[in-house]
């Protein structure tokens, strides 16, 4: 049975199908994990061709709303959490703004010697003492990323005395050490996205070097190239995605 009659006109037929399917997903007509009707059934539903349906499904798949598997069909996915990788808002605050409940699990904190790469990023001699903090960050009890942060110990005595399961690292830097930070340089790596970034104080001194591995299953990141920010996006050859969460 035709759900509604597509209109011939300036709006392409596949986009009309896409808009209606997206509205149906938003209304929970199909929920995450549900299988959509077959392409033929959808074509009958909309009174259109298979090609029109496929183009609409392809668009929803690119948005991360659907997952299509040859031989199995089309399934509804959890909508990805979209974040700006160069945003000035901390992870927890940004997740709250998106309507989710953030959580953090501290995997380890320790002091160690800076490798040449870390030392170069922080502007300190190789072998200098640094603080290392590793955390799993997530939203609504879903792990989204593994965050590894390195900071110069000489400038930040007592930094590891804080509980970063509940405290914001950037808040501690600003409130306890009077070092508000801003992100300047980032590189992304896929398919499991690895972000590398250096945070600088407002005075221009490097204060934090971080590596973050992002789960490709529930998170989508974007780069907004405005102002004087400079980004470099470099693909990384990795094996096919495994079922290991970030």
């Amino acid at each position: 049975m035709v759900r509604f009659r597509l209109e011939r006109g300036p709006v392409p037929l596949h986009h009309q199908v896409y808009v209606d399917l997206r509205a149906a997903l938003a209304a929970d007509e199909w929920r995450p994990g549900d299988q959509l009707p077959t392409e033929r059934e959808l074509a009958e539903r909309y009174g259109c061709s298979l090609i029109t349906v496929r183009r609409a499904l392809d668009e929803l798949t690119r948005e991360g709303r659907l997952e299509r598997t040859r031989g199995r069909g089309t399934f509804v996915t959890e909508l990805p959490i979209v974040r700006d990788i160069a945003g000035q808002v901390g992870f927890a605050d940004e997740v709250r703004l998106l309507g989710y409940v953030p959580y953090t699990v501290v995997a380890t904190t320790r002091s160690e010697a800076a490798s040449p790469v870390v030392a170069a990023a922080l502007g300190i001699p190789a072998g200098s003492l640094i603080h290392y903090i590793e955390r799993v960050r997530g939203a609504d009890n879903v792990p989204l990323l593994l965050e590894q942060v390195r900071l110069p110990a000489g400038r930040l005595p007592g930094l590891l005395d804080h509980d970063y399961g509940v405290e914001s690292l950037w808040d501690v830097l600003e409130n306890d050490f009077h070092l508000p930070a801003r992100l300047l340089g980032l590189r992304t790596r896929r398919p499991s996205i690895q972000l590398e970034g250096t945070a600088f104080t407002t005075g221009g001194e490097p204060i934090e070097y971080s590596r973050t591995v992002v789960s490709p299953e529930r998170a989508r990141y974007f780069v907004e190239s405005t102002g004087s920010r400079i980004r470099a996006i470099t693909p990384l050859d990795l094996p096919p995605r495994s079922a290991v969460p970030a």
Side-chain angles (χ1 to χ4, degrees), residues 3-15:
R3 174 186 172 92
F4 70 91
R5 199 159 300 280
L6 302 179
E7 297 181 359
R8 301 286 176 178
V11 180
L13 297 182
H14 73 272
H15 187 72

Side-chain angles (χ1 to χ4, degrees), residues 10-208:
V11 180
L13 297 182
H14 73 272
H15 187 72
Q16 295 180 47
V17 174
Y18 156 80
V19 169
D20 189 69
L21 284 175
R22 189 176 66 176
L25 292 171
D28 288 336
E29 184 171 334
W30 299 290
R31 300 180 62 82
D34 289 348
Q35 184 173 6
L36 261 64
T38 66
E39 292 178 356
R40 189 167 301 280
E41 289 170 334
L42 288 173
E44 293 175 357
R45 171 188 176 115
Y46 290 106
C48 64
S49 68
L50 289 174
I51 293 176
T52 297
V53 167
R54 285 169 187 157
R55 291 185 66 181
L57 295 178
D58 285 344
E59 184 63 28
L60 290 166
T61 301
R62 280 193 292 270
E63 292 181 355
R65 299 173 187 269
L66 300 177
E67 183 178 57
R68 306 179 70 192
T69 305
R70 185 180 297 275
R72 291 186 63 236
T74 302
F75 294 84
V76 182
T77 62
E78 291 279 359
L79 192 62
I81 295 174
V82 181
R83 299 187 60 224
D84 181 358
I85 64 175
Q88 301 298 307
V89 180
F91 175 85
D93 289 338
E94 186 174 359
V95 166
R96 290 190 190 99
L97 289 173
L98 293 171
Y100 300 94
V101 178
Y103 82 93
T104 299
V105 176
V106 178
T108 185
T109 61
R110 63 175 182 263
S111 296
E112 62 183 24
S115 69
V117 171
V118 174
L122 294 176
I124 58 178
S128 297
L129 195 64
I130 60 170
H131 297 310
Y132 175 80
I133 303 171
E134 184 175 83
R135 298 182 290 181
V136 176
R137 317 293 300 274
D140 287 356
N141 293 317
V142 176
L144 297 179
L145 55 88
L146 176 65
E147 179 185 77
Q148 300 169 328
V149 177
R150 296 167 174 85
L151 308 99
R155 297 188 60 197
L156 305 168
L159 183 74
L160 299 187
D161 295 339
H162 294 263
D163 181 1
Y164 294 107
V166 295
E167 292 185 81
S168 162
L169 175 60
W170 281 20
D171 284 349
V172 170
L173 289 175
E174 182 167 2
N175 298 329
D176 288 37
F177 297 94
H178 309 292
L179 294 171
R182 56 192 175 93
L183 288 178
L184 290 181
L186 291 170
R187 290 171 289 175
T188 65
R189 298 185 176 184
R190 299 186 67 183
S192 281
I193 305 172
Q194 177 172 298
L195 310 176
E196 297 185 21
T198 303
F200 297 78
T201 68
T202 51
E205 297 178 272
I207 193 64
E208 175 197 284

